[in-house]
Amino acid sequence: VQLSGIVLLRNLTAGVAANQKNAADEGAIEVVLDAMSKFPHENDVCTQGVAVLTNVCCDEDAVKRFIKAQGSDVVLPCVRKPELPEELATDVVVLYRNLAEHAKDSRKTLGSEFMVDLVDFLDKFANKEDLALPACQFLRYASYSEENRERIRTCGIIEILVEMVDYHISSAAMVEHIIIALSNATHKNPVNRAFVIENHGVQATFKAVKEHSSNTTVTLQAFRLFRNLALADPNRETNSFLAENDIQIIDYAIATALVGETASNPDVVENVLATLYNLAPCDVNFERMKEKDMEVKLEKIQSQFSGNPKVTDQCILFAKLLSQTEKKSMFRRGNKSSLASSNLTSSNLMSGRNRDFGASTNYNNKTGMLTTASLSGPTPDAKKSGIFGSMRKK
């Protein structure tokens, strides 16, 4: 009886916005959660129930009802089982992606409830795009919470995201959303930036952007991430690992990203210039840009985008920086005019403009670095046996 009622609700709410809203207002969320709590071991009840919840949790009010009814305490035990069906795991990830998209003020709560289970799902099914794509989208929305950006690192998700690039390198949509998840995780979080670099995130991103070099959206998201990572270490010259990454970024930016189809996109150009500008405090990087005639390229870019004040202002500031001969005295005290990290990717469009040129909340103009986020406490190691056999922290 419970299953039949849930299936009927699923059919009535599938793709019909008015029915979804009415069902939520009439208590469908609470009814379905009650049925699932009574039959937690029945996969059909769980699968159909999750589908109904995904349909009806379509606005902020519905998400609040789900949280108030302690929905995670019902849904997540249903999927914590040794033989978890891939379809059910995928449906739960899609549900939490939808919840996080509409949650706004409740994303911190959803992250604390779901992040550890998401690690388990990705360990088992990270090579399945139907699950991996909404998982990256969930992380994208969850990262609007500073606490969730910490959880993404301490749960081991950064390593998983970097490793996922190899599984999905042929899919532009997948690598785009993997990079967005990494980029949002590094927003205003220098610790996460360093962690992405240490776990070969730059190399993985390069692999993806080269595979899809003609894809403007992938290139844009890659340089949004590079822009954040370029602020990772104020003493780049003493770090050979960073220096090697920097030269790759500089050469690719000048030789590929600022030519061809991607060079006609102002968002791409803006983020490429911001990345290069943030790398310039290192003497080696500075000289590399001079060798590549960056000043000449800036004149051409400024002329090409004469009607775009965001790009032209960057060109003027960057050209002024490159004209410096006594750069060390300017940078050793901190680059006072560094471009802040890219904003969190819009919840509506991946290609929305950044609005951080010259100013950013929590941006320290004295040090040229963003304020360090607080670290969460130590957590015990948990050895995983899924796709990713490395140690994870939970």
Side-chain angles (χ1 to χ4, degrees), residues 52-69:
V52 174
L53 293 171
T54 301
N55 288 346
V56 301
C57 291
C58 56
D59 59 31
E60 189 173 8
D61 289 338
V63 174
K64 289 180 179 178
R65 296 183 71 131
F66 177 88
I67 293 174
K68 183 178 180 180

mmCIF file of all heavy atoms in Angstrom, residues 52-69:
data_model
loop_
_atom_site.group_PDB
_atom_site.id
_atom_site.type_symbol
_atom_site.label_atom_id
_atom_site.label_comp_id
_atom_site.label_asym_id
_atom_site.label_seq_id
_atom_site.Cartn_x
_atom_site.Cartn_y
_atom_site.Cartn_z
ATOM 1 N N VAL A 52 10.204 10.830 -5.287
ATOM 2 C CA VAL A 52 9.168 11.803 -4.947
ATOM 3 C C VAL A 52 9.794 13.032 -4.272
ATOM 4 O O VAL A 52 9.476 14.176 -4.604
ATOM 5 C CB VAL A 52 8.105 11.179 -4.019
ATOM 6 C CG1 VAL A 52 7.116 12.248 -3.547
ATOM 7 C CG2 VAL A 52 7.361 10.065 -4.730
ATOM 8 N N LEU A 53 10.695 12.792 -3.331
ATOM 9 C CA LEU A 53 11.344 13.900 -2.629
ATOM 10 C C LEU A 53 12.116 14.789 -3.603
ATOM 11 O O LEU A 53 12.127 16.017 -3.476
ATOM 12 C CB LEU A 53 12.277 13.360 -1.543
ATOM 13 C CG LEU A 53 11.587 12.644 -0.373
ATOM 14 C CD1 LEU A 53 12.624 11.972 0.523
ATOM 15 C CD2 LEU A 53 10.732 13.614 0.435
ATOM 16 N N THR A 54 12.765 14.163 -4.583
ATOM 17 C CA THR A 54 13.494 14.926 -5.597
ATOM 18 C C THR A 54 12.542 15.807 -6.396
ATOM 19 O O THR A 54 12.851 16.958 -6.712
ATOM 20 C CB THR A 54 14.253 13.981 -6.545
ATOM 21 O OG1 THR A 54 15.160 13.180 -5.785
ATOM 22 C CG2 THR A 54 15.034 14.762 -7.593
ATOM 23 N N ASN A 55 11.360 15.266 -6.704
ATOM 24 C CA ASN A 55 10.376 16.036 -7.473
ATOM 25 C C ASN A 55 9.824 17.218 -6.676
ATOM 26 O O ASN A 55 9.668 18.317 -7.218
ATOM 27 C CB ASN A 55 9.214 15.137 -7.896
ATOM 28 C CG ASN A 55 9.597 14.138 -8.988
ATOM 29 O OD1 ASN A 55 10.640 14.274 -9.621
ATOM 30 N ND2 ASN A 55 8.758 13.145 -9.199
ATOM 31 N N VAL A 56 9.503 16.993 -5.405
ATOM 32 C CA VAL A 56 8.751 18.017 -4.667
ATOM 33 C C VAL A 56 9.636 19.018 -3.928
ATOM 34 O O VAL A 56 9.172 20.105 -3.581
ATOM 35 C CB VAL A 56 7.757 17.370 -3.672
ATOM 36 C CG1 VAL A 56 6.779 16.477 -4.412
ATOM 37 C CG2 VAL A 56 8.474 16.605 -2.581
ATOM 38 N N CYS A 57 10.896 18.670 -3.687
ATOM 39 C CA CYS A 57 11.805 19.610 -3.024
ATOM 40 C C CYS A 57 12.378 20.565 -4.063
ATOM 41 O O CYS A 57 13.571 20.541 -4.387
ATOM 42 C CB CYS A 57 12.912 18.871 -2.281
ATOM 43 S SG CYS A 57 12.310 17.958 -0.833
ATOM 44 N N CYS A 58 11.509 21.409 -4.602
ATOM 45 C CA CYS A 58 11.863 22.227 -5.762
ATOM 46 C C CYS A 58 11.951 23.711 -5.448
ATOM 47 O O CYS A 58 12.075 24.532 -6.365
ATOM 48 C CB CYS A 58 10.856 21.984 -6.881
ATOM 49 S SG CYS A 58 9.138 22.285 -6.372
ATOM 50 N N ASP A 59 11.850 24.084 -4.169
ATOM 51 C CA ASP A 59 12.047 25.480 -3.794
ATOM 52 C C ASP A 59 12.533 25.536 -2.349
ATOM 53 O O ASP A 59 12.610 24.509 -1.667
ATOM 54 C CB ASP A 59 10.774 26.315 -3.997
ATOM 55 C CG ASP A 59 9.582 25.798 -3.196
ATOM 56 O OD1 ASP A 59 9.793 25.226 -2.093
ATOM 57 O OD2 ASP A 59 8.447 25.962 -3.651
ATOM 58 N N GLU A 60 12.858 26.732 -1.889
ATOM 59 C CA GLU A 60 13.463 26.862 -0.559
ATOM 60 C C GLU A 60 12.515 26.421 0.550
ATOM 61 O O GLU A 60 12.939 25.815 1.540
ATOM 62 C CB GLU A 60 13.910 28.303 -0.335
ATOM 63 C CG GLU A 60 14.743 28.491 0.917
ATOM 64 C CD GLU A 60 15.334 29.881 1.040
ATOM 65 O OE1 GLU A 60 14.963 30.745 0.228
ATOM 66 O OE2 GLU A 60 16.168 30.089 1.935
ATOM 67 N N ASP A 61 11.218 26.707 0.404
ATOM 68 C CA ASP A 61 10.260 26.304 1.436
ATOM 69 C C ASP A 61 10.199 24.794 1.584
ATOM 70 O O ASP A 61 10.136 24.266 2.704
ATOM 71 C CB ASP A 61 8.862 26.848 1.104
ATOM 72 C CG ASP A 61 8.763 28.362 1.276
ATOM 73 O OD1 ASP A 61 9.603 28.918 2.024
ATOM 74 O OD2 ASP A 61 7.868 28.973 0.671
ATOM 75 N N ALA A 62 10.211 24.084 0.446
ATOM 76 C CA ALA A 62 10.173 22.625 0.494
ATOM 77 C C ALA A 62 11.441 22.061 1.140
ATOM 78 O O ALA A 62 11.379 21.087 1.899
ATOM 79 C CB ALA A 62 9.997 22.057 -0.911
ATOM 80 N N VAL A 63 12.585 22.671 0.845
ATOM 81 C CA VAL A 63 13.838 22.224 1.460
ATOM 82 C C VAL A 63 13.783 22.417 2.971
ATOM 83 O O VAL A 63 14.209 21.539 3.744
ATOM 84 C CB VAL A 63 15.040 22.990 0.860
ATOM 85 C CG1 VAL A 63 16.323 22.628 1.604
ATOM 86 C CG2 VAL A 63 15.191 22.682 -0.617
ATOM 87 N N LYS A 64 13.223 23.539 3.419
ATOM 88 C CA LYS A 64 13.091 23.777 4.858
ATOM 89 C C LYS A 64 12.199 22.734 5.511
ATOM 90 O O LYS A 64 12.453 22.292 6.641
ATOM 91 C CB LYS A 64 12.541 25.178 5.098
ATOM 92 C CG LYS A 64 13.539 26.293 4.790
ATOM 93 C CD LYS A 64 12.945 27.660 5.033
ATOM 94 C CE LYS A 64 13.961 28.765 4.754
ATOM 95 N NZ LYS A 64 13.382 30.125 4.948
ATOM 96 N N ARG A 65 11.145 22.311 4.808
ATOM 97 C CA ARG A 65 10.259 21.268 5.344
ATOM 98 C C ARG A 65 11.010 19.941 5.461
ATOM 99 O O ARG A 65 10.846 19.213 6.440
ATOM 100 C CB ARG A 65 9.035 21.103 4.444
ATOM 101 C CG ARG A 65 8.137 22.305 4.372
ATOM 102 C CD ARG A 65 6.902 22.034 3.524
ATOM 103 N NE ARG A 65 5.985 21.124 4.208
ATOM 104 C CZ ARG A 65 4.680 21.346 4.334
ATOM 105 N NH1 ARG A 65 4.156 22.458 3.855
ATOM 106 N NH2 ARG A 65 3.917 20.477 4.939
ATOM 107 N N PHE A 66 11.838 19.647 4.461
ATOM 108 C CA PHE A 66 12.639 18.426 4.484
ATOM 109 C C PHE A 66 13.585 18.437 5.681
ATOM 110 O O PHE A 66 13.704 17.437 6.409
ATOM 111 C CB PHE A 66 13.416 18.292 3.183
ATOM 112 C CG PHE A 66 14.346 17.104 3.122
ATOM 113 C CD1 PHE A 66 13.895 15.871 2.671
ATOM 114 C CD2 PHE A 66 15.678 17.217 3.515
ATOM 115 C CE1 PHE A 66 14.751 14.778 2.608
ATOM 116 C CE2 PHE A 66 16.532 16.131 3.471
ATOM 117 C CZ PHE A 66 16.061 14.901 3.009
ATOM 118 N N ILE A 67 14.248 19.556 5.900
ATOM 119 C CA ILE A 67 15.204 19.651 7.001
ATOM 120 C C ILE A 67 14.476 19.621 8.351
ATOM 121 O O ILE A 67 14.915 18.948 9.291
ATOM 122 C CB ILE A 67 16.048 20.930 6.861
ATOM 123 C CG1 ILE A 67 16.955 20.814 5.623
ATOM 124 C CG2 ILE A 67 16.889 21.176 8.111
ATOM 125 C CD1 ILE A 67 17.736 22.067 5.306
ATOM 126 N N LYS A 68 13.343 20.331 8.445
ATOM 127 C CA LYS A 68 12.576 20.348 9.690
ATOM 128 C C LYS A 68 12.075 18.953 10.042
ATOM 129 O O LYS A 68 12.026 18.570 11.224
ATOM 130 C CB LYS A 68 11.388 21.305 9.564
ATOM 131 C CG LYS A 68 10.574 21.445 10.840
ATOM 132 C CD LYS A 68 9.444 22.453 10.665
ATOM 133 C CE LYS A 68 8.642 22.575 11.958
ATOM 134 N NZ LYS A 68 7.527 23.574 11.816
ATOM 135 N N ALA A 69 11.738 18.157 9.024
ATOM 136 C CA ALA A 69 11.264 16.789 9.251
ATOM 137 C C ALA A 69 12.418 15.814 9.451
ATOM 138 O O ALA A 69 12.198 14.607 9.534
ATOM 139 C CB ALA A 69 10.407 16.334 8.070
#
